[in-house]
Amino acid sequence: MKILFASSEATPLIKTGGLADVAGSLPTALNHIGQDCRLILPGYPDVLEKAENLTKLATLEIAGEKSPVHLLKGSSGPHKVPLYVVDAPHRFKRPGNPYLSPEGVNWPDNAERFSLFCHAVAELATNRIEHDWVPDVVHANDWQTGLIAPLLSMEKKRPATLFTIHNLAYQGLYDQATFQRLGLPDHLWSYHHLEFHGQLSFIKGGIALSDRVNTVSPSYATEIKTAEFGYGLEGLLNHRKDHFTGVLNGIDYHAWDPLTDKHIYTPFSVERFSEKRKNKLALQREYGLPEDEHIQLLGYIGRLVDQKGVDLILQILPGIMDAGVQMVMLGSGNKDLEHALEKISNRYHSRVGVYIGYDESLSHRIEAGCDCFLMPSRFEPCGLNQMYSLRYGTVPIVRRTGGLADTVVDVNPSTLANGSATGFVFENADASSLWGAVEHAINFYRRSSTDWEILARTGMQQDFSWEASAQHYLELYQTAMDEPGL
Ligand code: ADP
Ligand code: GLC
């Protein structure tokens, strides 16, 4: 099957969050099971620099764009995933990240930038350029690709479409003047298409006009059909329920393998679990904390945004400190949260280590060196770090929501008895509920190192590789082709 995978970020070329991990690994998994999956990305500086063998394929005429847009072809990453790049320097050649300026502000022309990207994908997908490759399916991801399905829906002959929601909190909402400026056909300004309470909604386009829609865990698929998590789109998602499913993300077992990971201090595995402690001592050293393998070490990695519940961690940190436990954190985002974390690490410098910034290599060492990983998310479509933690024998402490609920089995008498327990799960997004789980983890750790090791090793033996999920996606593509959803 020929699949065109459209994303606004993908490892190892450009990453701000989990979408990049998925776009970097699912195409490879699909190619490993005999498919022809190709990736298409906007031409940010990092992409142009890190992609291999880029050559110019075509010049595109995109309505409303006066400057040239070129389509390049090359490959991405160690598995040489075939790659198309939409090279439009006036829109994508900028510092900062794919969405924000270096000052952390949304680029004012994000609607134009991603509309251009969607148009370019549609050009390639409908064979309007001279090229011998036309996809059977276009797999679009998140709001930045939300206009692809609407554009393709107007074609007589078009590939099947799948739209994946990685995070419904980001929707690509703009005013009506923007809709007009983008030159989209008038009929798309309707309740059934792109109009959402008087605004242009990119994500609604993907949900309303794709043959199939999915999100990245079964639990989140259920949650976003309710008003609590649906941001007003729950009605549409319910309307599309026969064509809407949840498919749990996998993780890249080559990039995240404690036995071969080049970023960590000492390799380890289920069989060589005792080596993990060397990673802990080295991580304590790296963060300037007292080196002691008997002190329990908790970790956090992630975007510092409301979704992740970092404020809840801040509320219970004094309690964690009083219990004589250490904590290391890595993240960037909301400036208030960044300052609050820096303040608390100055206050408890012998117990808390904070690194504000983005550091891929350090994130591997945190997963390898910690005993526990905190993820008190208010909502979490899938979440990857809890799966990386499980693979690295780092016991996750998570809130029962979205993909966290689908991947971590709570420690309780029955799961301990049947050997399925892998982590500590709590119910409510508040500090006392989180503290209950952390306290449970602290007591469990102190009670018996043997039981703790059994728990950590059970997590390491779970299978979160892409094989099963890639197969699911293949089935979704096939049904989208056989039974169009529109
Ligand atoms: P989300 O996509 O909502 O940010 P996920 O758990 O799906 O959450 O994925 C986040 C990814 O980004 C993980 O691979 C995580 O390790 C990485 N990440 C987030 N913040 C940082 C950071 N400051 N430094 C390094 N990696 C980070
Ligand atoms: C989003 C979600 C996260 C998910 C990731 C990859 O950014 O916030 O939960 O794991 O996408 O699907």
Side-chain angles (χ1 to χ4, degrees):
M1 193 183 294
K2 288 184 279 187
I3 305 143
L4 182 59
F5 194 97
S7 175
S8 57
E9 48 182 280
T11 56
L13 305 179
I14 177 90
K15 167 168 167 178
T16 70
L19 169 60
D21 298 59
V22 174
S25 48
L26 175 55
T28 302
L30 287 163
N31 290 340
H32 277 160
I33 54 172
Q35 310 308 314
D36 178 1
C37 182
R38 304 184 180 191
L39 184 61
I40 183 162
L41 289 172
Y44 318 113
D46 276 345
V47 169
L48 295 172
E49 198 185 301
K50 295 185 199 161
E52 283 169 52
N53 305 318
L54 283 182
T55 52
K56 188 175 146 193
L57 195 65
T59 300
L60 306 178
E61 297 288 329
I62 307 261
E65 289 296 333
K66 292 185 194 77
S67 304
V69 176
H70 299 298
L71 190 66
L72 315 180
K73 186 166 185 296
S75 71
S76 166
H79 302 284
K80 309 241 171 294
V81 175
L83 170 74
Y84 297 98
V85 176
V86 180
D87 184 23
H90 62 298
R91 296 290 187 202
F92 298 126
K93 194 176 169 192
R94 299 177 184 184
N97 84 18
Y99 324 113
L100 309 174
S101 71
E103 295 73 43
V105 183
N106 278 314
W107 293 112
D109 60 345
N110 272 348
E112 282 83 355
R113 297 171 75 228
F114 293 108
S115 163
L116 181 159
F117 180 59
C118 293
H119 276 281
V121 175
E123 290 294 295
L124 175 61
T126 48
N127 203 18
R128 270 196 291 273
I129 59 172
E130 226 172 277
H131 187 39
D132 56 4
W133 192 85
V134 189
D136 302 309
V137 184
V138 177
H139 183 167
N141 296 273
D142 269 354
W143 76 263
Q144 296 85 355
T145 60
L147 298 185
I148 297 172
L151 291 172
L152 291 176
S153 72
M154 297 181 289
E155 300 288 334
K156 273 203 198 73
K157 197 165 159 5
R158 64 165 179 92
T161 48
L162 171 70
F163 184 74
T164 299
I165 302 166
H166 294 264
N167 197 332
L168 197 63
Y170 302 93
Q171 304 185 353
L173 292 176
Y174 298 95
D175 59 15
Q176 190 172 8
T178 306
F179 175 85
Q180 278 149 359
R181 219 169 45 244
L182 294 180
L184 292 162
D186 287 344
H187 81 271
L188 289 180
W189 186 261
S190 99
Y191 172 76
H192 300 289
H193 300 94
L194 300 177
E195 190 265 335
F196 181 65
H197 300 292
Q199 288 191 289
L200 158 64
S201 168
F202 273 57
I203 204 163
K204 183 173 175 182
I207 297 172
L209 294 165
S210 299
D211 293 309
R212 289 292 180 286
V213 181
N214 81 298
T215 188
V216 287
S217 69
S219 285
Y220 193 61
T222 305
E223 288 169 355
I224 58 179
K225 280 184 282 189
T226 67
E228 189 185 349
F229 294 94
Y231 300 94
L233 286 162
E234 60 276 9
L236 175 60
L237 288 163
N238 277 298
H239 174 69
R240 296 233 54 195
K241 66 179 187 309
D242 294 340
H243 296 138
F244 171 55
T245 50
V247 180
L248 193 69
N249 285 331
I251 57 171
D252 184 335
Y253 267 32
H254 298 285
W256 294 90
D257 179 353
L259 204 50
T260 57
D261 192 328
K262 296 277 177 291
H263 301 291
I264 70 175
Y265 311 97
T266 308
F268 64 102
S269 61
V270 185
E271 291 75 28
R272 290 166 58 190
F273 186 77
S274 61
E275 295 294 288
K276 180 172 162 69
R277 67 190 177 84
K278 294 184 184 161
N279 290 290
K280 174 168 170 178
L281 292 169
L283 184 64
Q284 288 169 324
R285 189 161 54 243
E286 184 168 354
Y287 266 100
L289 300 175
E291 290 168 51
D292 181 342
E293 64 172 281
H294 301 294
I295 299 181
Q296 194 174 8
L297 178 60
L298 315 184
Y300 173 86
I301 304 163
R303 294 180 296 120
L304 300 178
V305 293
D306 188 56
Q307 170 188 349
K308 303 290 176 183
V310 186
D311 52 313
L312 304 179
I313 300 181
L314 276 167
Q315 287 178 54
I316 66 158
L317 260 180
I320 295 178
M321 302 299 94
D322 289 346
V325 171
Q326 295 175 339
M327 171 107 207
V328 292
M329 303 184 76
L330 165 63
S332 63
N334 178 306
K335 297 294 164 209
D336 290 342
L337 285 172
E338 289 184 356
H339 293 145
L341 287 179
E342 274 168 338
K343 212 166 121 194
I344 208 147
S345 76
N346 289 333
R347 186 156 148 223
Y348 296 104
H349 60 273
S350 64
R351 294 259 166 79
V352 188
V354 170
Y355 181 83
I356 300 293
Y358 187 90
D359 189 332
E360 186 78 27
S361 180
L362 177 57
S363 75
H364 286 244
R365 289 193 292 283
I366 292 176
E367 289 293 5
C370 289
D371 298 299
C372 275
F373 192 89
L374 296 189
M375 258 178 115
S377 306
R378 293 198 159 78
F379 65 93
E380 196 61 75
C382 179
L384 300 174
N385 279 113
Q386 83 281 13
M387 294 194 269
Y388 299 147
S389 298
L390 288 166
R391 182 137 166 87
Y392 281 63
T394 298
V395 178
I397 300 176
V398 304
R399 175 150 182 259
R400 196 187 303 284
T401 184
L404 301 175
D406 294 342
T407 50
V408 181
V409 180
D410 187 30
V411 170
N412 62 40
S414 82
T415 57
L416 285 173
N418 67 23
S420 63
T422 58
F424 299 88
V425 184
F426 63 97
E427 297 295 332
N428 303 323
D430 59 47
S432 71
S433 198
L434 169 61
W435 175 247
V438 170
E439 203 175 26
H440 190 184
I442 293 173
N443 292 335
F444 197 94
Y445 182 85
R446 290 194 177 152
R447 213 160 32 231
S448 154
S449 58
T450 314
D451 287 351
W452 186 267
E453 190 174 320
I454 291 171
L455 180 62
R457 291 172 60 170
T458 306
M460 293 181 85
Q461 286 162 340
Q462 305 303 304
D463 183 5
F464 293 114
S465 62
W466 266 111
E467 268 85 66
S469 300
Q471 203 60 49
H472 265 114
Y473 274 107
L474 199 54
E475 286 157 21
L476 266 181
Y477 300 149
Q478 193 63 55
T479 45
M481 285 163 62
D482 296 345
E483 304 156 34
L486 299 182

